[in-house]
Amino acid sequence: MTVYVSRNAATGEPPRGRAADVPPVVRPAQADLPLLTHVWRVVFDRQAREHDRR
């Protein structure tokens, strides 16, 4: 696995120049884990039923 680290992240200094003009990245809200668990369970159950039919 390759990890790229920017100079600013490595030094801990705030960005200068054009990078300072770019707004920070907005992260989406965290996923609803119980909902995702439910959805994956439905998907896997459906796949299992289809596999059993064969």
Side-chain angles (χ1 to χ4, degrees):
M1 177 169 76
T2 304
V3 177
Y4 296 95
V5 179
S6 73
R7 265 182 309 205
N8 296 327
T11 62
E13 297 176 8
R16 295 184 299 256
R18 277 190 1 183
D21 298 336
V22 177
V25 175
V26 176
R27 298 192 184 268
Q30 285 206 332
D32 182 4
L33 295 180
L35 176 61
L36 287 178
T37 301
H38 172 74
V39 169
W40 280 114
R41 186 173 295 139
V42 169
V43 169
F44 288 137
D45 287 346
R46 185 176 298 154
Q47 287 178 348
R49 282 195 307 269
E50 290 175 0
H51 187 271
D52 289 342
R53 288 184 203 157
R54 295 180 190 171

